[in-house]
């Protein structure tokens, strides 16, 4: 049942009522509907850390999760940094936790992750460089390594930071991929050109000679309790040393020795765990991926991930009891003995940020996460499956009529032909918008594809993304956040500084935002009648009936005017996703909005889509994907003549759902005159005009919902064409009933007087 088949009258009168017509009854049944979180959306774990109490922390593409082994449960600990990609975690001697993001931000928590405070907003003044590692030395100094601006040091718990890189240092120290510190305070920094060492708290560094090892990025490091250093390389296996002067190659299987190393972990008992990640250079046709263990200091190794054949492990850590935790695309696995007792941890809550949706011609929905994963629901439901993809920071998606998927990223616009739920062939033209941040995509009816960029205007492709041409003449503001095609030859562009339209395929643009008080446009949608809706950053929703020549605000009922997403369904009902207030819906073109937030645990909604079956999906900033589902009731009605047009009997029967049998609630009913749009309440005295300033309430008594008969006197002479509505909601008070009815959409048209 369409969400709005039972809400069409609500916006005409009930949204205005502080006091409402009701009958307090015992509902035999009621509709049960709301949002359900999607399953199968993998949260990529990038880093793992264990505190002294054995509590596990996982840095991932949506923030930080915390796992208590004794309780066997995960909790989201993102307050202050939700939606960020966490790439580094470390603890100091006082139990404080430090977290680094891929945007050079560093956070600290003093209460086990319950809250976080930003202690560095952009190390070195750079806001886009990943923090690759954080370590704390025995003296309590905190070091944060970055991939482009070197290593920074804080001696006051993150209060202030200084660069440990000087002009006399090798430039290689600016690109640090891994870092470690031993019990004596010696620092090791792994770079693209090898390993560097500092014995004076970072004041000076020297390149460590590693004879016999090819030039390689040091991708992973760990140091055991005896000070033995293990360094994993992108091309050369694992190097080991007890004095940083004499290095041995770990005797991993030959193919693994020449493959990339993703992570290294050591236990208190000296056991070492190494994960390999790449195709072997020794045998290019062989891909060696798995987790290996050594109990003799690297002299011999055993593959322990036999139950996860082919899995690539991105992170691993060992707690004080010897329990190994390892993260792969299968999720997070734990092993009590490191050999054969692998068991999945409790299901992790989704914290992914969903930036964009797209729908193909066969009804499959595509969803893109901020870190760069793409998921599909090829079963047309709320179970999602990842498809291969390797480009981070996806901002936009669309699909053409042939099923080709287009992806807008921070690094350009890509396309691929979908084949059995995979994207094996990515195409990215080397001409602009290559290398540009593509924030919006739109497909025109002639199969032209438009790409809106951040700071470089609009580009257009007529050959499926193989080549692009600039299409920005007249576009005064070049930072494009939203695009929409109306199906009749006009394309709209929402920018940071106003709204523009083009009626000649992007050859020229004109400003089209008269009446908009807020200029930053985040979202656009065109309904099936050609009405255009624009969602703004701080001014709510605007509506245009004349192809953008003039706009009016339509914000009644919205509690948050920061709009991130817009969507219309087949009946032209409109939905908005907001920054912190969830989803709102309107059945009368934005005249009045009502919240649809039952079950929606993340109220920042960045994307919306409706599939071919009318199912509504919401992409959130830190809770993954939600689908609006529910069992709805329906009303039927008949109007019976008693021989006198001034006296009629209206019989309305509710056919309820089964979810709410026995619940207490209220029945609402009323009507709207078609000629003047006047709102009337259906009360015991007949049809009574509704006064907005002084509303009246009419009790309808106790009714049996299974056979709800509403008998009233009607004066039909002036009421032909009037639509009669009925609905119900749960709650012990009028307000509670009304709110529940709005949330569950149980109000619908039951009769039209003829």
């Amino acid at each position: 049942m369409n969400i709005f088949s039972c809400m069409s009258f609500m916006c005409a009168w009930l949204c205005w009522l502080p006091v409402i017509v009701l009958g307090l009854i015992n509902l035999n049944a009621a509709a049960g509907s709301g949002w359900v979180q999607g399953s199968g959306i993998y949260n990529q774990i990038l880093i793992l850390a264990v505190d002294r109490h054995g509590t596990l922390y996982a840095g991932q593409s949506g923030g930080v999760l915390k796992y208590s082994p004794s309780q066997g449960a995960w909790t989201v600990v993102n307050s202050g940094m939700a939606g960020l990609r966490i790439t580094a975690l470390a603890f100091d001697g006082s139990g404080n936790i430090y977290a680094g993001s891929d945007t050079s931000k560093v956070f600290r928590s003093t209460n086990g992750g319950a809250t976080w405070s930003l202690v560095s907003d952009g190390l070195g003044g750079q806001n886009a460089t990943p923090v690759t590692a954080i370590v704390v030395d025995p003296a309590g100094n905190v070091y944060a390594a970055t991939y482009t601006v070197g290593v920074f040091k804080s001696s006051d718990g993150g209060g202030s930071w200084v660069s440990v890189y000087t002009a006399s240092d090798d430039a290689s120290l600016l690109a640090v991929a891994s870092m470690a510190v031993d019990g004596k305070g010696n620092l090791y920094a792994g770079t693209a050109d090898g390993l560097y060492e500092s014995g004076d708290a970072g004041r000076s560094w020297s390149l460590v000679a590693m004879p016999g090892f090819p030039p390689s990025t040091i991708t992973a490091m760990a140091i055991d309790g005896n000070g033995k250093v293990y360094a994993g390389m992108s091309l050369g296996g694992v190097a080991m040393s007890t004095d940083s002067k004499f290095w041995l190659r770990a005797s991993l299987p030959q193919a693994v020795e020449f493959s990339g190393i993703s992570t290294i972990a050591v236990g208190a008992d000296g056991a070492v765990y190494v994960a390999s990640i790449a195709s072997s250079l020794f045998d290019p046709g062989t891909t060696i991926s798995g987790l290996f263990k050594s109990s003799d200091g690297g002299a011999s190794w055993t593959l322990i991930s036999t139950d996860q054949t082919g899995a690539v492990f991105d992170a691993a850590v060992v707690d004080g009891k010897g329990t190994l935790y390892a993260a792969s695309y299968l999720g997070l696995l734990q092993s009590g003995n490191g050999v054969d007792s692998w068991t999945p941890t409790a299901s992790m809550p989704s914290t992914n940020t969903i930036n964009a949706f797209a729908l193909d011609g066969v009804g499959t929905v595509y969803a893109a996460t901020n870190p760069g994963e793409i998921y599909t629901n090829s079963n047309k439901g709320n179970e999602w499956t990842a498809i291969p993809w390797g480009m981070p920071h996806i901002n936009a998606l669309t699909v053409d009529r042939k099923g080709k998927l287009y992806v807008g990223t921070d690094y350009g616009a890509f396309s691929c032909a979908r084949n059995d739920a995979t994207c094996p062939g990515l195409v990215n033209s080397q001409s602009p918008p290559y290398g540009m941040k593509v924030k919006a995509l739109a497909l025109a009816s002639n199969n032209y594809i438009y790409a809106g960029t951040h700071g470089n205007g609009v580009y257009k492709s007529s050959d499926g993304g193989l080549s692009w041409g600039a299409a920005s003449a007249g576009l005064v503001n070049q930072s494009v956040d939203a695009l929409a095609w109306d199906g009749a030859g006009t394309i709209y562009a929402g920018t940071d500084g106003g709204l523009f339209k083009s009626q000649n395929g992007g050859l020229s643009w004109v400003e089209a935002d008269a009446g908009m008080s807020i200029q930053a446009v985040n979202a656009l949608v065109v309904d099936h009648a050609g009405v255009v809706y624009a969602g703004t950053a701080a001014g709510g929703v605007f509506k245009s009936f004349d192809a953008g020549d003039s706009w009016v605000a339509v914000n009644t009922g919205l509690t948050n005017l920061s709009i991130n997403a817009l969507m219309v369904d087949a009946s032209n009902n409109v939905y908005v996703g907001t920054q912190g207030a969830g989803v709102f819906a309107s059945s009368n073109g934005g005249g009045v909005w009502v919240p649809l937030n039952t079950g929606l645990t993340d109220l920042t909604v960045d994307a919306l889509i409706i599939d071919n079956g009318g199912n509504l999906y919401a992409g959130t900033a830190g809770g993954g994907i939600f689908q609006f589902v529910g069992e709805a009731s329906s009303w039927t009605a008949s109007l019976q003549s008693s021989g006198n047009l001034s006296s009629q009997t209206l019989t309305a029967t509710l056919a309820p759902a089964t979810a709410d049998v026995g619940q207490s609630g209220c029945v609402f009913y009323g009507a709207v005159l078609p000629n003047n749009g006047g709102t009337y309440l259906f009360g015991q005295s007949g049809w009574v005009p509704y006064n907005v300033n002084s509303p009246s309430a009419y009790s309808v008594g106790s009714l049996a919902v299974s056979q709800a008969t509403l008998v009233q006197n009607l004066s039909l002479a002036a009421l032909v064409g009037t639509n009669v509505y009925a609905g119900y909601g749960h709650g012990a008070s009028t307000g509670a009933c009304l709110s529940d009815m709005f949330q569950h959409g149980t109000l619908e048209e039951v009769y039209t007087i003829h």
Side-chain angles (χ1 to χ4, degrees), residues 475-487:
L475 196 64
V476 177
N477 190 293
Q478 299 278 296
S479 185
V480 180
D481 296 319
L483 291 169
W485 170 261
D486 72 352

Side-chain angles (χ1 to χ4, degrees), residues 478-522:
Q478 299 278 296
S479 185
V480 180
D481 296 319
L483 291 169
W485 170 261
D486 72 352
T490 301
I491 185 166
Y492 300 88
T495 75
D496 287 353
L499 191 137
F500 298 80
K501 71 176 182 179
S502 173
Q503 295 178 304
N504 55 13
L507 293 177
S508 62
W509 296 82
V510 294
E511 193 165 359
D513 51 16
M516 278 193 187
S517 57
I518 304 298
Q519 297 297 303
V521 179
N522 291 341

Side-chain angles (χ1 to χ4, degrees), residues 14 98 209 217 249 254 295 415 427 522 682 697 723:
L14 283 178
Y98 297 87
T217 300
R249 183 182 299 276
Q254 191 173 35
S295 298
S415 64
V427 178
N522 291 341
F682 193 22
N723 295 318

Side-chain angles (χ1 to χ4, degrees), residues 12 15 34 75 156 203 221 235 238 250 257 358 366 378 383 394 419 426 457 549 590 600 615 617 670 685 703 722:
C15 293
T75 55
D156 55 6
R203 287 184 289 273
M221 278 194 290
L235 299 177
V238 176
E257 289 184 12
Y366 295 78
S378 55
E383 296 178 3
I394 299 174
N419 179 21
L426 295 173
D549 290 339
L600 191 64
N615 298 303
Y617 299 89
S685 300
L703 302 172
T722 297

Side-chain angles (χ1 to χ4, degrees), residues 55 76 99 105 182 194 211 218 227 247 276 308 331 356 383 390 467 476 486 530-531 554 559 629 699 720 734:
T55 301
V76 178
K105 297 178 186 292
D182 65 18
I218 307 299
W247 293 85
S276 62
Q308 294 78 43
E383 296 178 3
S467 62
V476 177
D486 72 352
V531 177
V554 285
T559 60
V629 298
S699 172
V720 174
T734 301

Side-chain angles (χ1 to χ4, degrees), residues 534-735:
T536 65
V541 179
F542 290 81
K543 177 179 181 180
S544 176
F545 295 95
D546 53 12
D549 290 339
S550 62
W551 297 82
V552 293
V554 285
N555 292 326
T556 301
L558 291 178
T559 60
N560 186 301
L561 299 184
S562 181
I563 308 301
N564 295 335
L566 284 165
M567 180 57 56
V568 296
D569 65 17
S571 300
N572 281 338
N573 301 306
V574 193
Y575 306 84
V576 299
T578 68
Q579 183 73 24
V583 176
F584 290 78
S586 175
S587 65
N588 63 350
V592 178
W593 299 91
V594 294
L596 291 177
N597 290 329
T598 298
L600 191 64
T601 57
D602 187 333
L603 296 181
T604 294
V605 177
D606 292 332
L608 293 168
I609 200 166
I610 297 173
D611 67 15
N612 291 347
N615 298 303
L616 175 65
Y617 299 89
T620 67
I625 300 172
F626 290 79
Q627 180 186 8
F628 192 88
V629 298
E631 183 183 19
S633 63
S634 63
W635 289 86
T636 59
S638 63
L639 193 65
Q640 300 171 351
S641 173
S642 62
N644 184 343
L645 286 182
S646 63
S647 178
Q648 297 291 320
T649 299
L650 173 68
T651 300
T653 302
L654 174 65
T658 59
D660 300 311
V661 174
Q663 297 290 327
S664 295
C666 315
V667 168
F668 303 85
Y669 54 101
V672 171
L673 285 173
N675 295 330
N676 59 15
T679 303
Y680 288 78
L681 301 186
F682 193 22
Q684 292 178 337
S685 300
W687 295 99
V688 180
Y690 171 66
N691 186 326
V692 175
N693 296 320
S694 179
S696 301
Y698 300 89
S699 172
V700 297
S702 178
L703 302 172
V705 174
S706 59
Q707 294 293 325
T709 302
L710 311 181
V711 181
Q712 301 295 335
N713 295 323
L714 305 179
S715 178
L716 295 185
L719 297 179
V720 174
T722 297
N723 295 318
V724 181
Y725 297 82
Y728 72 93
H730 296 171
S733 67
T734 301

